[in-house]
């Protein structure tokens, strides 16, 4: 998955981008948006190269409303070009199941039942 986002050009943005597991808000419907809020540099980006079926296998879908998924998350990204970033890690939090890994080390995370089958 890739994130297209424009961060303000300042040293705070550079420091935050280099951090692992940055707090964010994940909003998924026909599009997949990642939003960063204060105390971070406020910005909203669009995720590309994502698969709703693979995400649904890893996190519970919401009920009703504008979004299939609308939840807090944590993300690790690496800059690849201009305003484009590779998503390395993405976890989404749901009160009923805690932190759900979606991406790990640049790939979709293993499903819990796959871990037990190994």
């Amino acid at each position: 998955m890739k994130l297209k986002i424009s961060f303000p050009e300042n040293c705070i943005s550079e420091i935050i981008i280099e951090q692992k597991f940055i707090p964010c808000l994940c909003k998924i419907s026909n599009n997949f948006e990642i939003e960063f809020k204060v105390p971070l540099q406020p910005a909203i980006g669009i995720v590309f190269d994502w698969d709703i079926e693979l995400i649904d296998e890893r996190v519970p879908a919401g009920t009703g409303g504008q979004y299939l998924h609308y939840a807090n998350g944590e993300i690790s990204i690496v800059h690849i070009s201009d305003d484009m970033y590779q998503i390395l890690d993405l976890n989404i939090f749901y009160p009923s199941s805690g932190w759900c890994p979606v991406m790990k080390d640049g790939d979709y995370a293993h499903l819990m039942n796959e871990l037990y089958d190994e």
Side-chain angles (χ1 to χ4, degrees):
M1 281 193 265
K2 293 182 177 75
L3 174 64
K4 183 171 179 61
I5 191 166
S6 179
F7 289 105
E9 292 186 26
N10 58 42
C11 62
I12 296 172
S13 290
E14 291 176 19
I15 291 169
I16 290 172
I17 292 167
E18 292 177 6
Q19 303 298 318
K20 299 279 274 172
F21 303 109
I22 307 163
C24 63
L25 178 62
C26 300
K27 300 185 283 189
I28 304 172
S29 60
N30 292 333
N31 295 313
F32 185 169
E33 295 179 0
I34 302 266
E35 182 175 354
F36 298 95
K37 297 181 178 186
V38 172
L40 305 173
Q41 299 291 297
I44 298 175
I46 301 292
V47 177
F48 292 91
D49 302 331
W50 59 284
D51 185 323
I52 190 61
E53 291 178 10
L54 294 175
I55 293 173
D56 285 344
E57 289 175 352
R58 288 157 178 80
V59 294
T63 56
Q66 179 180 353
Y67 299 101
L68 297 169
H69 300 278
Y70 185 94
N72 289 307
E74 52 185 20
I75 189 169
S76 302
I77 57 178
V78 64
H79 185 252
I80 52 178
S81 67
D82 296 326
D83 291 339
M84 193 67 72
Y85 297 81
Q86 180 71 40
I87 297 175
L88 298 178
D89 301 296
L90 176 64
N91 298 313
I92 299 177
F93 185 82
Y94 286 91
S96 61
S97 48
W99 286 107
C100 300
V102 176
M103 297 289 293
K104 181 167 176 46
D105 299 325
D107 291 314
Y108 283 96
H110 288 286
L111 299 172
M112 291 306 287
N113 60 352
E114 288 178 352
L115 296 175
Y116 295 119
D117 290 342
E118 292 178 352

